[in-house]
Amino acid sequence: MLPSKKNPTFGDTIPWHEYQEQQKISVHTSPTPLKMEIQTLLRDEALAVSSLEKLPSDLFPTLFKEACAGRLTNLIKAMLAAWPFPCLAVGALMESPDPDCKTFQAVLDGVDLRLTREFHSRRAKLQVLDLRNVCHPFWNIQDDSETLEEKQVLKVLPRYALRQRLKVIVDLCITSFLHEAQVSFLMWAQQRMGSLYFCCTKMKIWTLSPHIIIVIFNVFDPEHITELELNTEWTMSQLENFAPYFGQMRNLHKVFLAPFREITFHFTHRPRITEAECINKFVSQFSQFNCLQHLFMDCIHFLRDEIDQVLGFLKTPLETLSITYSLISQRDLNSFSCCQSLLQLKHLDLRGVILCTLDLMPLRALIEKVADTLETLNLQGCKVKDVQLNVFLPALRQCSQLTQFKFYNNDISMSTLKDFLKHSTNWSRMNVEQYPAPMECYDELAEVSVERFAQVCRELMDTLRTIRQPKNISFATDICLTCGESYVYEQVLRLCHCWQ
Ligand SMILES: [Zn+2]
């Protein structure tokens, strides 16, 4: 049996400090006494459960890991109730198959056991139960000289330490078809709202009925959500109903909105004017976010002519602005150049946004303003033409921090592309650059001439190599309508599937 720092008489044969010295010497040789002790307990679950009160705190993490791996539900339940540290990150341990959710249920049962008045453990200190499936440093610190307890005290914020209710942290991915474990967890949580404190940090919503939304936000305060992914096919009125919850998510760092393409404008009893009201109500919530850094919007056609409003409401500087496969208006684009929240932008993604009909001067003005911070720019599939590329070329030249420029599927001529590359001397940090095959590679039927494509790419590469050494550069044709692949020139020429 092992000695305990706090209970030196617990089957003790040597003093704690001598045991520690022995551990240093015997490491990496034979099974340590600690491992043997754990193995003994794991062989007899009932013995393990009854030994918990006297078990040294330092053995809890290893024993708990093994109990989860072996799905020893009685031991998991008892250990959770008697957990001697302020925090338990259990989500990462439940990766092993748990088809009938027995391990998960044992954890919840352990919380219940802890809540019962009959249960008293001198050492039970749990304040935060983390059910998120994230790597947690807690499980890798056992070789440190610092004790687990010391580390855990440091990890828990004072306000949590002061709070009496146990805090349960989860990440949620909710679809219209909740699986059994989710349903039972939500029901369990609903019944314990008064005695536990629930917190969801990342929430993914894939279509959700209004009824479930009310239940979920009744349990989980929207204020704690830092990342929200909204993939819905809601109607406008459902979006409007969601707006107040959205506005309460004041601590959002990252928002992903998609795909609203299915959003319908049909109201049976309401006049058309309310469409605008619904959108306004949703959009105005952007004024509530105190720390938003990353904004992703995909297929948000319903926000056409409203993006200027969205950007205007932002209070914090964005690191990422991603508006993809969406219809945007000149008014939206104009707002890019004067939006204060875009002045420290690192990532700009406008993939699939058709820009060929717009005046790109505001985009140029924005790129000029963020030339010292912009790291990645994606203008793939924007159908940009020569004249437009020339508009923002002077701004692009100044972007000295650029590491990625993706520009496939745009309509650029050989001479413009060559000129463009000649002026890219400032791009010393560039890692990935992708260009469209010049227009000269296509015949009058828009078919690619393979020979011409290869020759043009070699010529462009030679041009570029005279001014800098590209790291990862490629050229691609438009997508083949037969197989959906492109011809790509990347050191060698790769043809589409039709050629194989
Ligand atoms: Zn093909």
Side-chain angles (χ1 to χ4, degrees):
M1 296 291 264
L2 285 182
S4 158
K5 207 157 139 190
K6 288 183 181 158
N7 305 297
T9 55
F10 181 70
D12 197 357
T13 52
I14 55 167
W16 172 258
H17 65 272
E18 283 181 27
Y19 165 70
Q20 277 189 316
E21 286 305 310
Q22 275 185 14
Q23 287 293 292
K24 281 178 194 164
I25 297 163
S26 64
V27 78
H28 302 311
T29 50
S30 54
T32 60
L34 186 139
K35 279 185 185 162
M36 287 160 63
E37 166 75 359
I38 299 284
Q39 290 310 317
T40 307
L41 290 173
L42 289 170
R43 277 194 290 274
D44 187 343
E45 194 178 0
L47 171 71
V49 170
S50 64
S51 307
L52 286 181
E53 266 303 294
K54 290 180 179 173
L55 193 74
S57 299
D58 301 57
L59 293 194
F60 267 70
T62 311
L63 185 62
F64 191 78
K65 270 164 98 170
E66 296 295 333
C68 285
R71 306 183 78 212
L72 304 176
T73 51
N74 289 328
L75 184 55
I76 292 169
K77 177 179 163 183
M79 289 196 79
L80 205 128
W83 193 250
F85 305 107
C87 177
L88 174 54
V90 76
L93 298 182
M94 294 195 289
E95 274 181 356
S96 43
D98 187 22
D100 44 11
C101 301
K102 275 190 178 167
T103 308
F104 186 64
Q105 190 56 50
V107 169
L108 301 188
D109 291 346
V111 174
D112 283 344
L113 180 59
R114 193 182 169 279
L115 288 175
T116 56
R117 265 186 246 128
E118 303 86 55
F119 181 79
H120 293 291
S121 170
R122 290 179 294 112
R123 295 187 303 176
K125 287 181 183 167
L126 191 61
Q127 289 160 8
V128 178
L129 176 66
D130 192 342
L131 295 172
R132 295 173 298 178
N133 186 10
V134 287
C135 281
H136 203 286
F138 178 77
W139 300 109
N140 299 318
I141 60 175
Q142 288 155 69
D143 296 331
D144 291 5
S145 54
E146 201 175 358
T147 68
L148 285 167
E149 206 159 348
E150 284 161 353
K151 283 220 167 187
Q152 286 302 295
V153 170
L154 289 174
K155 284 184 72 63
V156 176
L157 298 172
R159 64 191 176 109
Y160 299 149
L162 290 171
R163 193 178 286 128
Q164 284 187 333
R165 282 187 293 170
L166 171 65
K167 180 177 181 177
V168 180
I169 310 177
V170 295
D171 286 340
L172 286 178
C173 178
I174 313 149
T175 64
S176 49
F177 305 101
L178 295 178
H179 56 75
E180 207 183 313
Q182 283 181 317
V183 173
S184 67
F185 174 71
L186 282 175
M187 283 171 65
W188 179 85
Q190 241 186 321
Q191 289 157 7
R192 285 153 188 83
M193 278 166 52
S195 41
L196 299 172
Y197 182 69
F198 291 96
C199 173
C200 174
T201 53
K202 290 184 191 173
M203 188 177 281
K204 290 183 185 179
I205 297 176
W206 286 72
T207 310
L208 198 57
S209 76
H211 166 69
I212 302 283
I213 284 191
I214 292 169
V215 171
I216 284 175
F217 289 116
N218 209 6
V219 175
F220 300 97
D221 187 344
E223 201 181 326
H224 296 292
I225 297 173
T226 59
E227 290 186 30
L228 174 73
E229 183 178 324
L230 202 56
N231 271 285
T232 71
E233 293 183 0
W234 284 341
T235 62
M236 272 293 152
S237 60
Q238 284 173 318
L239 190 69
E240 185 197 19
N241 291 337
F242 179 74
Y245 299 114
F246 190 46
Q248 287 171 49
M249 300 178 189
R250 294 184 185 86
N251 294 306
L252 278 178
H253 283 250
K254 194 191 265 189
V255 178
F256 182 84
L257 302 176
F260 281 94
R261 76 191 104 184
E262 299 297 333
I263 273 198
T264 54
F265 293 91
H266 302 306
F267 292 100
T268 44
H269 307 297
R270 300 170 76 175
R272 192 174 159 74
I273 186 78
T274 56
E275 290 168 15
E277 285 170 6
C278 292
I279 293 174
N280 282 340
K281 190 171 171 187
F282 181 76
V283 165
S284 65
Q285 307 306 322
F286 280 86
S287 65
Q288 303 296 319
F289 305 144
N290 293 324
C291 43
L292 190 65
Q293 290 182 311
H294 307 281
L295 175 57
F296 299 84
M297 300 191 284
D298 186 62
C299 297
I300 37 96
H301 307 315
F302 79 106
L303 285 181
R304 189 177 190 202
D305 276 332
E306 304 289 341
I307 291 170
D308 60 330
Q309 295 265 12
V310 171
L311 298 179
F313 276 125
L314 297 177
K315 292 199 289 196
T316 50
L318 287 186
E319 231 175 77
T320 308
L321 176 65
S322 171
I323 302 172
T324 50
Y325 304 103
S326 306
L327 294 170
I328 70 167
S329 66
Q330 187 65 49
R331 180 173 129 186
D332 293 327
L333 197 61
N334 291 347
S335 67
F336 279 29
S337 61
C338 51
C339 174
Q340 293 294 313
S341 288
L342 300 184
L343 295 182
Q344 294 172 37
L345 211 57
K346 286 186 179 174
H347 310 285
L348 177 61
D349 187 353
L350 296 175
R351 235 174 325 148
V353 174
I354 305 303
L355 296 176
C356 57
T357 54
L358 302 175
D359 168 17
L360 298 191
M361 277 308 283
L363 185 59
R364 168 178 165 165
L366 172 65
I367 294 174
E368 273 169 358
K369 285 177 183 169
V370 298
D372 292 335
T373 54
L374 195 67
E375 292 175 16
T376 69
L377 177 61
N378 193 330
L379 297 175
Q380 200 170 310
C382 294
K383 298 293 168 200
V384 167
K385 298 184 187 309
D386 282 1
V387 60
Q388 291 169 308
L389 181 60
N390 287 330
V391 168
F392 59 82
L393 178 61
L396 272 180
R397 274 183 215 156
Q398 298 169 29
C399 296
S400 56
Q401 302 303 310
L402 214 55
T403 59
Q404 272 190 28
F405 178 54
K406 296 188 176 177
F407 196 53
Y408 282 164
N409 295 105
N410 286 287
D411 303 332
I412 307 298
S413 71
M414 179 67 178
S415 61
T416 300
L417 198 52
K418 203 180 226 179
D419 188 48
F420 179 86
L421 293 176
K422 275 184 190 165
H423 288 97
S424 65
T425 45
N426 213 5
W427 292 1
S428 57
R429 296 169 64 98
M430 185 62 77
N431 276 326
V432 178
E433 42 197 326
Q434 301 179 340
Y435 300 102
M439 303 295 284
E440 286 80 355
C441 300
Y442 302 89
D443 64 20
E444 56 280 7
L445 296 172
E447 300 275 344
V448 181
S449 155
V450 178
E451 234 170 74
R452 181 84 184 116
F453 178 51
Q455 183 204 333
V456 158
C457 292
R458 275 194 298 271
E459 202 179 320
L460 288 168
M461 292 290 276
D462 290 344
T463 304
L464 190 55
R465 285 203 184 101
T466 60
I467 60 152
R468 65 182 165 90
Q469 206 52 43
K471 290 186 186 109
N472 181 351
I473 183 171
S474 57
F475 300 86
T477 63
D478 289 343
I479 286 166
C480 162
L481 295 176
T482 310
C483 70
E485 294 289 316
S486 303
Y487 299 4
V488 180
Y489 186 92
E490 190 180 11
Q491 292 177 345
V492 292
L493 179 62
R494 200 171 67 236
L495 301 174
C496 75
H497 287 324
C498 304
W499 290 75
Q500 289 163 12

Short mmCIF file of all heavy atoms in Angstrom, two decimals, residues 44 87 163 202 220 227 270 277 290 329 332 343 413 441 443 494:
data_model
loop_
_atom_site.label_atom_id
_atom_site.label_comp_id
_atom_site.label_asym_id
_atom_site.label_seq_id
_atom_site.Cartn_x
_atom_site.Cartn_y
_atom_site.Cartn_z
N ASP A 44 -10.87 -4.75 -7.69
CA ASP A 44 -11.97 -4.92 -6.75
C ASP A 44 -12.69 -3.57 -6.59
O ASP A 44 -12.31 -2.74 -5.77
CB ASP A 44 -11.42 -5.41 -5.41
CG ASP A 44 -12.53 -5.78 -4.43
OD1 ASP A 44 -13.69 -5.36 -4.67
OD2 ASP A 44 -12.25 -6.49 -3.46
N CYS A 87 -11.46 21.26 -9.48
CA CYS A 87 -11.90 21.12 -10.87
C CYS A 87 -11.78 19.66 -11.33
O CYS A 87 -10.84 18.97 -10.96
CB CYS A 87 -11.05 22.03 -11.75
SG CYS A 87 -11.42 21.89 -13.48
N ARG A 163 -18.33 30.87 -5.52
CA ARG A 163 -19.68 30.43 -5.80
C ARG A 163 -19.94 29.09 -5.14
O ARG A 163 -19.11 28.20 -5.18
CB ARG A 163 -19.87 30.33 -7.31
CG ARG A 163 -21.30 30.18 -7.72
CD ARG A 163 -21.38 30.14 -9.22
NE ARG A 163 -21.17 31.43 -9.82
CZ ARG A 163 -20.28 31.66 -10.80
NH1 ARG A 163 -19.53 30.71 -11.25
NH2 ARG A 163 -20.16 32.86 -11.31
N LYS A 202 -19.37 26.69 -26.05
CA LYS A 202 -19.49 26.62 -27.52
C LYS A 202 -20.84 26.00 -27.85
O LYS A 202 -21.14 24.90 -27.40
CB LYS A 202 -18.39 25.75 -28.12
CG LYS A 202 -17.02 26.35 -28.04
CD LYS A 202 -16.03 25.46 -28.74
CE LYS A 202 -14.61 25.91 -28.42
NZ LYS A 202 -13.62 24.98 -28.95
N PHE A 220 -29.01 27.24 -19.83
CA PHE A 220 -27.70 27.82 -20.10
C PHE A 220 -27.82 29.31 -20.36
O PHE A 220 -28.44 29.72 -21.34
CB PHE A 220 -27.05 27.15 -21.32
CG PHE A 220 -26.85 25.68 -21.14
CD1 PHE A 220 -27.76 24.77 -21.65
CD2 PHE A 220 -25.75 25.20 -20.44
CE1 PHE A 220 -27.58 23.42 -21.48
CE2 PHE A 220 -25.56 23.84 -20.25
CZ PHE A 220 -26.48 22.95 -20.78
N GLU A 227 -18.50 30.93 -28.39
CA GLU A 227 -18.52 30.59 -29.81
C GLU A 227 -19.90 30.08 -30.20
O GLU A 227 -20.40 29.13 -29.60
CB GLU A 227 -17.49 29.49 -30.13
CG GLU A 227 -16.07 29.97 -30.03
CD GLU A 227 -15.07 28.91 -30.48
OE1 GLU A 227 -15.41 28.08 -31.36
OE2 GLU A 227 -13.96 28.92 -29.95
N ARG A 270 -49.05 38.12 -41.38
CA ARG A 270 -48.34 39.36 -41.09
C ARG A 270 -47.99 40.09 -42.38
O ARG A 270 -47.65 39.48 -43.38
CB ARG A 270 -47.07 39.06 -40.30
CG ARG A 270 -47.39 38.37 -38.99
CD ARG A 270 -46.17 37.85 -38.32
NE ARG A 270 -45.40 38.90 -37.68
CZ ARG A 270 -44.32 38.65 -36.94
NH1 ARG A 270 -43.91 37.43 -36.78
NH2 ARG A 270 -43.66 39.63 -36.38
N GLU A 277 -38.43 44.43 -40.25
CA GLU A 277 -38.39 44.54 -38.79
C GLU A 277 -37.65 43.36 -38.17
O GLU A 277 -36.85 43.52 -37.25
CB GLU A 277 -39.81 44.62 -38.21
CG GLU A 277 -40.45 45.97 -38.42
CD GLU A 277 -41.93 45.95 -38.06
OE1 GLU A 277 -42.41 44.92 -37.55
OE2 GLU A 277 -42.58 46.97 -38.32
N ASN A 290 -19.41 42.39 -26.63
CA ASN A 290 -18.31 43.15 -26.02
C ASN A 290 -16.93 42.72 -26.45
O ASN A 290 -15.96 43.43 -26.21
CB ASN A 290 -18.39 43.04 -24.48
CG ASN A 290 -19.62 43.72 -23.95
OD1 ASN A 290 -20.03 44.76 -24.47
ND2 ASN A 290 -20.24 43.14 -22.93
N SER A 329 -24.18 44.23 -51.62
CA SER A 329 -24.47 45.39 -52.46
C SER A 329 -23.31 46.38 -52.40
O SER A 329 -22.41 46.26 -51.57
CB SER A 329 -25.74 46.06 -51.94
OG SER A 329 -25.49 46.60 -50.66
N ASP A 332 -23.11 47.85 -49.06
CA ASP A 332 -22.39 47.00 -48.11
C ASP A 332 -20.89 47.19 -48.25
O ASP A 332 -20.17 47.37 -47.26
CB ASP A 332 -22.73 45.52 -48.34
CG ASP A 332 -24.18 45.19 -48.03
OD1 ASP A 332 -24.74 45.80 -47.12
OD2 ASP A 332 -24.74 44.30 -48.73
N LEU A 343 -10.27 47.91 -38.78
CA LEU A 343 -8.94 48.52 -38.96
C LEU A 343 -7.78 47.65 -38.47
O LEU A 343 -6.63 47.98 -38.71
CB LEU A 343 -8.89 49.89 -38.26
CG LEU A 343 -9.84 50.93 -38.87
CD1 LEU A 343 -9.71 52.26 -38.16
CD2 LEU A 343 -9.57 51.10 -40.36
N SER A 413 -6.33 38.47 -67.29
CA SER A 413 -5.52 38.20 -68.49
C SER A 413 -4.06 37.97 -68.11
O SER A 413 -3.63 38.30 -67.00
CB SER A 413 -5.61 39.38 -69.45
OG SER A 413 -4.89 40.46 -68.90
N CYS A 441 -5.69 30.98 -71.63
CA CYS A 441 -5.63 29.50 -71.61
C CYS A 441 -6.91 28.86 -72.14
O CYS A 441 -6.98 27.65 -72.30
CB CYS A 441 -5.40 29.01 -70.18
SG CYS A 441 -3.89 29.61 -69.46
N ASP A 443 -10.08 28.54 -75.02
CA ASP A 443 -10.42 28.85 -76.41
C ASP A 443 -11.79 29.52 -76.46
O ASP A 443 -12.40 29.79 -75.42
CB ASP A 443 -10.35 27.59 -77.29
CG ASP A 443 -11.37 26.54 -76.88
OD1 ASP A 443 -12.37 26.91 -76.19
OD2 ASP A 443 -11.19 25.36 -77.23
N ARG A 494 -1.38 19.12 -63.18
CA ARG A 494 -2.33 18.07 -62.80
C ARG A 494 -3.64 18.33 -63.54
O ARG A 494 -4.23 19.40 -63.40
CB ARG A 494 -2.53 18.12 -61.29
CG ARG A 494 -3.08 16.87 -60.69
CD ARG A 494 -3.06 16.91 -59.17
NE ARG A 494 -3.99 17.90 -58.63
CZ ARG A 494 -3.63 18.88 -57.80
NH1 ARG A 494 -2.38 19.03 -57.43
NH2 ARG A 494 -4.53 19.73 -57.37
#
